[in-house]
Every structure is written in structure tokens, then in C-alpha cells.
Amino acid sequence: MKKHLIAAALVLAFGAAHPAFAATPAPRAENAYLSQEDAMARSARVSNVDYTLQFTLTGKETFAGTTTLEFDLKDTDQPLTIDLDKATIGQLVVNGKAVAPQYNQWFITIAPQDLKVGRNSVTIAYERLHSTNGEGLHRMVDPVDGRVYTYSHFEPAAAHQMFALFDQPDLKGTYQVTVTTPADWVAVSTMRESGVKDVAGAKEWTFPRTKKLSPYNFSMHAGPYQVWEDNSGPYPMRLFARQSVAAQVSPKDWFTYTSQGLKFFDEYFGVPYQFAKYDQLLVPDFLYGAMENAGAITFAEGRFLHKETMTAAQRQSLASVIMHEMAHQWFGDLVTMKWWNGLWLNESFASFMGTLGTAEATEFKNAWQSFYSSGKQAAYVMDERVTTHPIETPVPSTANAFDNIDAITYSKGASTLMQLRHLLGAEVFRKGVHNYLVKYSYQNAELKDFIGSLGEAANRDLSGWTKEWLYEPGVNTIQASLSCAGGKVNSFKLLQSAPSKDMPTLREQRVQVALFKQGKDGMALSQNVAVTYKGAETPVPELVGAACPDLVYPNYQDWGFAKVTLDQKSFATAQAALGKVDDPLLRAMLWQSLWDSVRDGKLPLNSFLKTVLANAPAEKDYTLLGDIVGKIGQSKYYLDKMGPSAARYRSKVGVQLEDMAFKATVAASGDSNFQRRWFTTYVNLASSPAALKRLADILDGKLVVPGLNVSQDARWDIVARLNRYDVRGSAALLSVEQARDKSDSGQAAALAATVARPDAKVKAEWLATIGDLQTKLPFSRIRTAMFGLYPAEQGALAEQSAGARLDGLAQVDQAAGPVYMRAYAAALIPAACTPASVARLQAAVAAQTGLSAGTRRALLVTHQEDERCVAIKKAMTE
């Protein structure tokens, strides 16, 4: 310690530049995470990395592996660390010499005297437990047939939970794999296997060496998967799923969207797909929606398996995610960020390109409308929170890699790229992307490299745009300001405002400003102009002299990323004449303006619900209906959180909403997409005795709704709802359904129904299980319990443990890792929609200053949203 203090003093006294007094790098911190500083120091010394990997998988809880790393080393001045998590090391050989491992369960330290300048070889033989939390080499036992399945997941930095390596994105390497598996298994990796042979009742799979990849883009999966193949296109395609769920897979849809995407991206990027074959795997217990492993993409079963024919919305979701992960094969896998602060660009670009590809290459031409209603609205919500952040933010260590991976990263980032495409022109933008991919193929790049390629293609300096959009947080608000005389517009300007004094940035942006007149045939577009605005006020002289409009929308067709505030007349028109607007995207935007006003405490929730009851049943756009019923669900959530103070109104409007949804379900008997959307809404709204009785009758067949298929998924939805409200006999129905459906998804559904029961004993038992970090339950089950434990209407039950949960937050945060805390903090920080609850959360914010960054953000968000709920309750007029 003294030596470091003396060195620091000498640097201060004589200057760091003098070689005689250069500071000695501090040793790597003894913890599970890799800091950016340590990663950069390592990549400055190490290059030309090649891995030779051997795995022995038996299906049991542990697996064995041997990693041989070969790499060039610039110097031997310092030790070198190699990442490997919680393994038992059998042998360590460095440059042909057996060495006693210096190992702390997170990384191995190789002493300088065992290394050499130039080419080095390190071989590590080890054993390790399979993971059960969705990271590393995850293992799952299928409850239906006892078969064992494994798959790998490495993002952001979990490859060292499977093998020894330099687990950082800017040390790309090649990977040659050999894996021994049980005889009935298949193995899948980045490359297609080059050989399979029988070995003592098992199979040995050999895979050729890959091209250069960042560790998190490499993968290896193995198990007795069902396999489908399609070799009709230039790249062989395969699809994998567990045997017990194979009947739920629609290979035709998967292969159709995949082949459409590969053709589109090959043409758009002007760079052919690089990984020779295209494998996609449906895997259990997955933490996220999907993962872009090069050539072997994984997808969450829970999101993409359905026990009846997919709806149009489910097929569109599938197409969109296939496109998103496919875009990553170029942007993320072929060209990769240097460090995790650049992860947003991968995700923003894939979100943008995934939506573009879905809209232009598949049947779902309205993909941008879906993007507006889902991802973009989530980004607006996050960008207004106290925890908002720039699109690109510092990431001090791998512990923080996912702290800011949210809707700002994905959807705001995608929106800024769409905006940049409008500013530069579609073809210039495409050319810049092509040049970037060609220049940095198989390398690591930074934001300046991407923006530089676009700027060169456009012959424009984009530094100002980059600062405004990527390094400054917050969403701006735009509003039309106009005056009329004699039926004509005599002045018109766009007003832009910043979120606060702390976020004063006013941005340059290109939007369309549209004027509408209401006539006997509905709302007609009378004039539309494209405007590039900047600053607080931008005159729009092109609209002076136009007929005075009934409605102005200053972000027509959703070019811009800005919150729209309607002028007073336009707001009144939107509230009164939603059904007269023909354009579904404009209609969606007007619905959003009304909902924004509810969330801002300006429009009473009961007034919004009057608009819902008057307009929702007549909605004929399937995508927009999904948006509207989502807002109905959020409305119900707020009403339930309001507790006894809103009981009378909640009871009255609840029955009205139930009746609306059930009548719409019956009326849609000829259209399964609409019928299933309305029926799901009905199930999610049902809380009155009459509605719950109707659900019970549908479940046992006493009531048959024409056209409605009560699938296994629908049966579980009904059982869960009946148990949530403790309908007589519901616990027995749960047991019957569990015996009927022994699948993994059936077990998860049964758990969700169980924990939602309004039973204090059940709550206490499951809260204890959640808090047991040594539980043998897979994390997917724990996560299901977390999010199902305290439904909105069970405020009194939630309060029984609220104080203890809040007081113990810091202790849980310290003991558990980021994967656990991302779920725990989102689900179990208590909020009761009362002034007392807001004050309790405020006190916790002030007192609990030592929380991890992610958990503290969750606490701040919970406090802010609890304040919002109180404000919405206060604005109610019934």
C-alpha cells in the first residue's frame, strides 16, 4: 500500500509523462467483474487470440472442459489474468509447463515469469456446475420426459461461466470446438459440425475453427433437440426445439421470415451474410427475448411457443425478433463495439433495421406503427423518468453493462437513427452503413467510426447532431402554435421545449406538420409540410394562408422523436372525433396524446375511459386495437392500485369494461385474431362476481362462445384469474389443470396462479423462497414468483411485507447478483399509491445510498411512478 502511495506522490510532484516515474498499474480488483480500465490494459498487451475448446457433457449437473488459449503478448511486465468463474481446476499448463493455479474463483492470474513476449499457450482443464440462471452453459431437465437440454448464453460477460478466456468484446478470437455428448443429443455451434463419431456409447462432435468473434457472440448448445431443416436458399437453415414442445412450433413461419430477412439484409447492406449457415434454437428458461449468437441464434420459448395457431400479432412479433437478431449478424457480430458503452449502438441499430426489414420484406407492412405503439412509447416513458440517461453512457465495469440497457437504448436509439435517415436521405444513410461494415469487418469499432462513415457518405459534419442526440438525455416536447383570422391561418410556428433546467438541450429534427379539417366524411388531411426545426421556435411560413384546421398534428407519420402536446382545439377534436380519423397511425397518435394527458395528471382517468367505452369497440385496425387494450390494462392497474378510495367508480366502470370486452369477443366470432385479442382483454379485466362466474363457465364448457377456441394457454389464463380473486373452487381447478398440463410452461403457469392467490400464508412462503439465494429452483421459476406475488388489487397483503422488503433491499442487493436484482427490484420494491407510500419510498431513496446502480435506479423509478399514481388518483373527477 505504501509503495502505491509513494508512486502517486512522485507522479504529482514530477509529472506522469516522465518514464522514470510512470505509475505501476494497479492489480485487478478481486471481484467477479471486469473493469473497463482492466479490460483496456489487457487488450493493449494481448492480440491474435485463438481458442481450442473441448467439452464433455453427460447431462448431469456438472460438465468438464479444457481450454487452450493461444495469443500474442506484448510484454511480461505484469501478471496476466484469464477469466473463469467458479470452476474446479484440474490442471494449468503455461507454455508447456505445469503451473499451480493462482485462482480466486473469478479469474486465474498467470505470473510474469511463466509468460513470454510473443506467442503464448495456456491450457486449463476444469470442471464446473451447469448454470441454472440462464447464463453460461445453462442446463434444464424437461419435466415432461426427463430429457436434459443445455444452451449457452454469454452476453454481456458470462462466457467465463462456461470456459476460460479473455471475456471482453475487443479481444476477438477464433474458436475450434470438440464436444462429447450423450448419443441421442445434437450439438450446435457457430460453425456447422465437420465430423461426428461414436465414442464409447457417446458422440463426439467436431466443429471447424470460426472466423474472429467477440466472446459473447460465440455459442455452443447441446441436447436431444428436435431439428427441422430448410435448404431452399443460399444459406442452410435449421430450427431446434425441445421434443416435448415440438408440436407448438410452426417451422414454415420461421423459415419464411428467416429467408425473407436474409435476402433483404444481403441486398441492403451490400455485404453477404458471413456465417455460412443459419441456425435458430427455441430454448427454455431464457432471460431475454433472443440472443444474436453468430450463426446459432437463441430464442425464448416463453415468448415464441403457443399452444394454438399463432395470431397475427404473435407472427409479427416473431418476424420482428428474427429480423432484429439477424441485423446483429452484421451489426454486432461482424463489426462489434470495443466496450459495453457501445452496446446501445448494436441494439439501436438492430431495433431500427429489424423494424425496417419487417416492414419491407414481410407481410407486416405496418411494422412502424407497431414500433410507435410499443417500443417508442416505452422510450418516451423512460426518457421522462428521473433515471433517464444519454443514449451512450459510461460503463465502468461488466457489473454495469446492462444498467442502461432499456427502451432508451433500444427504441430511442432506433428513433434517432430513423431521424438521421430522414436528415441524410435513405440512400446516403444506407451507403454510410455499407461503408462502415466493409471498413470494420471482423474488428471492433466505436461510435465515432459509425458516425464518421455516415458523415463521409453525406459530406456533413455530424458532431453537433451526435452531441444533441446521443450524449444529452431527455425527450423534448413540440407543439403547434397558430392563430387564425377570417378562416385562414395568419401565423404558424413550432414550439420546442426542454424537459427541465437540468436538461436544457433543444434539438434539430425533421418532422411533418399536418393540418386536418373535419367534414361529413370524417377527418380530411388539408395540408402537410416537412419541417426541419431547431431551437425554441421555428416559423412555418408554408402553412400561413391555409384554411384554419380543426386538428394539427406536428409529428405526422412519426418521423421525429418528440413528445407531442396538442393545442387546445386539436385536443378537443381528438377527444371528440377519434372515430372519424381514417389513418390508423394518426389515430394511434391521438390516442397516445390522450393517454399522455392522463399520465401527466391533466386528463382525468375517468374521462379517458369514457372515450375508451365510446370508441374501442368500433376499432377495426388490429395493431391499434392492441395498443388501446394495452392502455385499458394500464387504466385497470391504476384503478386497482388506488384501493378503497376508488372502489365505487372502479366497480361501476369495471363492469362496463368487462361488458364491452365480452360483447366484442362475441361479435368477433368470424375473426380469430380480433376475438382472441378481445377475449384476452376480457380475462385480464374480469373481477366482478358475474365476470368471474362467466370465466368459470367457459372453462368447464357450460358456456360456449361461438368461434372461440379455449386453448391450453387460454385455460391457464382463466385458472390464474379465478385463483387471483379466490373464486370458490379455484384452488381445485388449479390442481386439475396442473395434472392436465405437465409441460414446463404448465408448471410455470401453475406457479403464477398459485402465488397470485390472496393468501397471506402463500405470500410469506414464496417470499421466503425468493429470498433464499441457495434455492435449487431454477431462476426462471423464482422470477415468475417475483412478478406474480403481489397483484395491483392486493395492496393490503402487499403491505404486510412492504416495510421489511424495503428495509432489507440493501442486504439483498449486496448478496445477489445483477441478474437476480434486475427482476427483484422491478417486482418487489413496494409502492401503494398513497402519500404515505410515496414518503416511505422518498425516505428509502435518501437513506439507502449504497445500492448498486441498477437497484438504485429501480428504487428511484418506483418512487416516481408511485407519485404519478397518486397524481392520477387526485385528478379523478368520479
Side-chain angles (χ1 to χ4, degrees):
M1 183 68 177
K2 277 186 178 178
K3 185 167 74 173
H4 290 305
L5 291 174
I6 293 168
L10 290 172
V11 168
L12 288 173
F14 296 102
H18 197 290
F21 300 104
T24 302
R28 180 172 168 182
E30 296 274 341
N31 64 47
Y33 305 106
L34 176 67
S35 72
Q36 182 178 15
E37 182 181 4
D38 287 335
M40 296 306 101
R42 187 162 66 180
S43 61
R45 303 174 65 203
V46 173
S47 59
N48 298 324
V49 183
D50 296 303
Y51 296 98
T52 300
L53 306 174
Q54 191 279 325
F55 302 104
T56 300
L57 308 182
T58 63
K60 296 179 180 178
E61 292 185 353
T62 62
F63 68 94
T66 301
T67 297
T68 296
L69 301 85
E70 294 184 348
F71 54 92
D72 292 341
L73 188 65
K74 186 178 179 181
D75 65 70
T76 58
D77 298 340
Q78 301 294 325
L80 182 68
T81 63
I82 298 171
D83 306 307
L84 179 64
D85 180 78
K86 297 182 179 65
T88 300
I89 297 176
Q91 187 179 39
L92 172 64
V93 177
V94 182
N95 292 322
K97 173 183 153 187
V99 174
Q102 183 183 338
Y103 180 49
N104 59 9
Q105 293 293 300
W106 301 307
F107 55 85
I108 301 162
T109 300
I110 309 296
Q113 62 267 25
D114 295 321
L115 298 163
K116 59 185 179 182
V117 174
R119 199 68 176 164
N120 286 258
S121 175
V122 178
T123 298
I124 302 158
Y126 61 93
E127 289 190 4
R128 191 191 190 279
L129 282 167
H130 281 280
S131 302
T132 59
N133 70 342
E135 292 191 324
L137 186 59
H138 181 91
R139 173 182 179 270
M140 181 265 195
V141 181
D142 192 323
V144 174
D145 54 23
R147 289 184 170 110
V148 174
Y149 293 87
T150 69
Y151 63 87
S152 70
H153 180 84
F154 297 154
E155 189 181 33
H160 65 295
Q161 294 182 37
M162 180 172 166
F163 63 98
L165 76 161
F166 303 122
D167 203 354
Q168 61 190 78
D170 68 335
L171 279 176
K172 287 195 169 189
T174 67
Y175 304 81
Q176 192 278 313
V177 182
T178 303
V179 55
T180 302
T181 72
D184 62 337
W185 285 23
V186 294
V188 184
S189 191
T190 302
M191 304 292 287
R192 187 69 181 260
E193 69 274 8
S194 55
V196 185
K197 64 181 180 180
D198 295 327
V199 180
K203 280 186 178 177
E204 183 181 87
W205 301 73
T206 302
F207 297 87
R209 190 164 294 280
T210 70
K211 298 177 181 180
K212 289 176 66 175
L213 290 170
S214 291
Y216 82 97
N217 296 138
F218 167 72
S219 67
M220 197 282 293
H221 324 283
Y225 288 98
Q226 172 80 41
V227 186
W228 297 267
E229 296 192 50
D230 185 324
N231 297 307
S232 60
Y235 311 108
M237 297 181 291
R238 293 188 298 177
L239 180 64
F240 299 78
R242 285 187 292 138
Q243 300 281 348
S244 67
V245 300
Q248 299 175 42
V249 179
S250 175
K252 180 181 177 183
D253 289 319
W254 284 82
F255 289 139
T256 295
Y257 302 139
T258 302
S259 60
Q260 289 171 338
L262 286 167
K263 183 176 185 294
F264 173 78
F265 287 124
D266 267 2
E267 292 175 356
Y268 185 90
F269 292 134
V271 175
Y273 174 67
Q274 295 290 297
F275 302 112
K277 51 89 176 175
Y278 206 88
D279 290 338
Q280 296 173 109
L281 300 92
L282 282 152
V283 296
D285 302 337
F286 204 60
L287 285 170
Y288 311 106
M291 176 60 202
E292 66 268 20
N293 314 305
I297 301 90
T298 43
F299 293 78
E301 285 183 350
R303 182 167 173 181
F304 299 106
L305 286 180
H306 309 284
K307 292 176 180 173
E308 65 178 311
T309 304
M310 285 191 288
T311 64
Q314 289 165 344
R315 290 199 315 277
Q316 182 171 347
S317 175
L318 174 61
S320 177
V321 177
I322 286 175
M323 295 292 175
H324 177 107
E325 304 307 328
M326 192 178 290
H328 275 308
Q329 303 298 303
W330 284 263
F331 210 105
D333 294 5
L334 179 60
V335 181
T336 314
M337 75 272 156
K338 284 190 175 180
W339 181 245
W340 299 109
N341 62 315
L343 183 58
W344 75 267
L345 185 55
N346 286 2
E347 298 302 346
S348 295
F349 190 83
S351 296
F352 166 75
M353 285 303 306
T355 308
L356 184 67
T358 304
E360 299 197 8
T362 76
E363 69 212 70
F364 303 108
K365 305 306 179 188
N366 67 342
W368 287 109
Q369 180 185 336
S370 299
F371 174 78
Y372 169 82
S373 295
S374 54
K376 198 165 189 178
Q377 295 313 317
Y380 285 141
V381 167
M382 288 202 167
D383 217 9
E384 287 190 299
R385 286 178 173 167
V386 292
T387 54
T388 188
H389 56 84
I391 293 175
E392 173 146 333
T393 60
V395 176
S397 88
T398 54
N400 310 106
F402 272 10
D403 283 354
N404 294 306
I405 297 302
D406 52 26
I408 292 175
T409 305
Y410 281 73
S411 299
K412 181 180 179 181
S415 299
T416 63
L417 293 176
M418 172 59 98
Q419 178 57 209
L420 191 54
R421 185 172 182 251
H422 284 302
L423 281 171
L424 304 182
E427 182 53 30
V428 169
F429 182 87
R430 191 205 65 78
K431 180 182 176 183
V433 170
H434 166 82
N435 293 346
Y436 171 79
L437 293 173
V438 170
K439 184 175 182 179
Y440 296 103
S441 286
Y442 298 105
Q443 300 177 59
N444 296 88
E446 296 178 282
L447 174 62
K448 63 181 177 60
D449 302 318
F450 176 65
I451 294 297
S453 292
L454 293 177
E456 287 174 15
N459 194 26
R460 173 174 170 170
D461 179 5
L462 293 174
S463 58
W465 181 92
T466 302
K467 183 178 185 302
E468 286 181 0
W469 282 102
L470 305 181
Y471 291 109
E472 299 292 345
V475 56
N476 296 108
T477 299
I478 59 172
Q479 180 175 1
S481 175
L482 67 157
S483 61
C484 292
K488 300 289 185 181
V489 174
N490 61 11
S491 73
F492 197 109
K493 56 190 174 183
L494 273 182
L495 306 180
Q496 179 182 197
S497 59
S500 67
K501 291 180 180 178
D502 295 331
M503 292 181 281
T505 301
L506 297 176
R507 297 173 171 89
E508 177 187 3
Q509 189 162 200
R510 189 163 178 80
V511 296
Q512 294 182 99
V513 181
L515 310 186
F516 298 86
K517 288 291 289 184
Q518 187 173 344
K520 61 179 182 178
D521 297 325
M523 198 72 63
L525 176 66
S526 58
Q527 199 157 347
N528 177 37
V529 298
V531 178
T532 299
Y533 70 84
K534 61 177 71 175
E537 293 186 9
T538 301
V540 187
E542 301 96 319
L543 293 178
V544 174
C548 196
D550 295 308
L551 172 70
V552 179
Y553 201 83
N555 187 21
Y556 184 53
Q557 296 181 332
D558 194 35
W559 283 14
F561 185 85
K563 185 175 178 180
V564 170
T565 296
L566 295 176
D567 63 90
Q568 190 173 357
K569 183 178 181 181
S570 296
F571 188 89
T573 300
Q575 203 170 1
L578 269 176
K580 297 180 180 179
V581 177
D582 290 333
D583 178 358
L585 178 56
L586 177 62
R587 211 156 61 245
M589 291 174 153
L590 297 178
W591 272 108
Q592 190 60 44
S593 291
L594 298 179
W595 182 244
D596 285 343
S597 295
V598 172
R599 283 177 47 80
D600 292 343
K602 297 175 181 176
L603 178 67
L605 179 58
N606 50 288
S607 295
F608 176 79
L609 289 174
K610 284 180 182 177
T611 303
V612 166
L613 291 164
N615 291 277
E619 184 53 62
K620 300 304 179 189
D621 184 86
Y622 178 67
T623 299
L624 177 51
L625 178 61
D627 184 14
I628 294 168
V629 299
K631 289 174 170 53
I632 295 171
Q634 292 175 70
S635 299
K636 180 73 162 64
Y637 170 82
Y638 282 128
L639 289 173
D640 286 341
K641 290 292 284 186
M642 290 174 189
S645 65
R648 192 166 66 87
Y649 174 71
R650 180 170 59 243
S651 177
K652 180 184 78 170
V653 77
V655 170
Q656 292 173 329
L657 291 169
E658 290 168 351
D659 288 347
M660 174 191 73
F662 189 72
K663 288 175 181 175
T665 299
V666 174
S669 61
D671 187 320
S672 64
N673 285 314
F674 273 83
Q675 187 172 53
R676 285 167 65 180
R677 179 153 274 174
W678 273 118
F679 184 66
T680 299
T681 302
Y682 178 67
V683 174
N684 292 336
L685 289 171
S687 57
S688 70
L692 294 167
K693 171 70 165 55
R694 183 181 279 155
L695 285 181
D697 288 346
I698 291 172
L699 183 69
D700 72 7
K702 290 180 182 177
L703 175 62
V704 176
V705 178
L708 182 66
N709 176 33
V710 185
S711 67
Q712 184 61 65
D713 288 337
R715 292 183 66 83
W716 273 121
D717 289 343
I718 295 171
V719 168
R721 196 70 182 180
L722 297 178
N723 276 272
R724 178 168 164 170
Y725 285 90
D726 197 20
V727 172
R728 178 177 293 183
S730 59
L733 290 174
L734 196 162
S735 297
V736 169
E737 210 62 36
Q738 199 166 6
R740 173 192 179 106
D741 180 10
K742 298 181 182 296
S743 68
D744 181 55
S745 61
Q747 287 193 359
L751 172 57
T754 299
V755 300
R757 290 184 59 78
D759 183 323
K761 183 181 177 184
V762 169
K763 306 295 185 192
E765 288 173 351
W766 273 100
L767 195 59
T769 300
I770 290 167
D772 178 10
L773 300 181
Q774 304 305 315
T775 180
K776 295 294 185 181
L777 283 176
F779 182 64
S780 60
R781 294 289 184 268
I782 296 299
R783 190 169 53 171
T784 295
M786 287 177 182
F787 283 101
L789 198 58
Y790 295 115
E793 73 281 358
Q794 294 180 11
L797 284 166
E799 277 299 301
Q800 292 179 8
S801 64
R805 279 183 279 140
L806 202 52
D807 291 344
L809 183 62
Q811 184 177 355
V812 176
D813 186 49
Q814 187 174 18
V819 170
Y820 180 97
M821 287 309 299
R822 280 197 291 273
Y824 184 92
L828 291 176
I829 296 177
C833 195
T834 63
S837 172
V838 171
R840 180 173 63 194
L841 285 164
Q842 180 59 53
V845 168
Q848 300 197 29
T849 55
L851 298 173
S852 66
T855 301
R856 180 158 183 82
R857 285 184 61 201
L859 179 61
L860 290 166
V861 166
T862 304
H863 174 247
Q864 185 178 16
E865 291 304 314
D866 211 27
E867 285 184 314
R868 185 185 304 280
C869 187
V870 170
I872 291 171
K873 180 163 60 172
K874 186 176 180 181
M876 291 268 289
T877 55
E878 284 193 36

